[in-house]
Amino acid sequence: MSAYPAYTMGGLCIVGGVTGFARTRSIPSLVAGVGVGLLYLWSADSIRKGTANGLEAALGASALLFLSSLPRVKKGPVPAILAITSATTGAYYGKTLYSLGG
């Protein structure tokens, strides 16, 4: 199992949240982007160290990002890309968690 997808998603979410705030002064974009990004980064670190709940946290962050971006998919490319990448990352960690029997 690899922590790289969670590290990547964490970085992208944080950059996206800060960018959304810089462009539109949107506090919800900043809070959500940084919050989900930090959850991804924490889960990636837990996966890398082999400690408990890293895979579950990555799967949860993916579900949270997917469900929050799904209603906005038709509003532009950014929500659509968020939905696709979070679904892909969620599928990866879901499959990994399922194969480990947890």
Side-chain angles (χ1 to χ4, degrees):
M1 86 194 96
S2 176
Y4 291 125
Y7 278 123
T8 303
M9 289 297 291
L12 289 175
C13 285
I14 290 172
V15 168
V18 171
T19 302
F21 177 74
R23 287 181 50 210
T24 63
R25 296 290 176 213
S26 170
I27 300 290
S29 291
L30 180 66
V31 171
V34 171
V36 172
L38 289 175
L39 181 58
Y40 268 122
L41 292 177
W42 177 82
S43 65
D45 191 52
S46 295
I47 292 167
R48 185 183 59 81
K49 290 178 180 175
T51 58
N53 299 325
L55 292 172
E56 293 88 348
L59 183 60
S62 297
L64 181 65
L65 185 58
F66 179 73
L67 292 174
S68 66
S69 60
L70 199 57
R72 300 178 294 125
V73 164
K74 293 187 179 189
K75 291 186 178 180
V78 173
I81 291 169
L82 284 174
I84 292 167
T85 56
S86 62
T88 304
T89 306
Y92 172 75
Y93 284 116
K95 181 179 178 231
T96 302
L97 193 59
Y98 181 76
S99 69
L100 292 175

